[in-house]
Amino acid sequence: MLIMNERSIRDRKIEQLMNGRTAYAESKEVIRLIKRDIERYGLNVFYDETPTGCWFIPVKASKSS
């Protein structure tokens, strides 16, 4: 079994979100860390929480006429 550092996983997921890509996490601790950084960086992200994990979906700002 491969054990990865939760903070490095979080960093990778936050980078994905900053680049406008969806991210997914299964671990409650990684989800907590990602949510904390989303708030810290002020990212506009929709959370889709499921029994097995959480999808983080970046929300693009709508263009007003």
Side-chain angles (χ1 to χ4, degrees):
M1 175 196 298
L2 177 65
I3 298 175
M4 297 184 68
N5 183 310
E6 292 164 336
R7 285 179 170 59
S8 64
I9 294 170
R10 179 228 25 223
D11 292 345
R12 229 180 34 236
K13 303 294 182 177
I14 290 295
E15 184 178 337
Q16 284 178 245
L17 292 170
M18 289 180 160
N19 290 325
R21 296 191 333 258
T22 300
Y24 178 77
E26 294 175 349
S27 159
K28 289 183 193 274
E29 179 62 13
V30 173
I31 292 168
R32 184 188 70 77
L33 292 170
I34 292 170
K35 285 182 176 180
R36 186 179 70 181
D37 273 14
I38 287 170
E39 292 297 319
R40 179 180 293 154
Y41 295 121
L43 301 175
N44 191 9
V45 175
F46 173 76
Y47 305 125
D48 183 10
E49 297 190 51
T50 69
T52 59
C54 185
W55 286 97
F56 299 93
I57 305 164
V59 178
K60 299 185 192 248
S62 62
K63 295 180 183 178
S64 302
S65 301

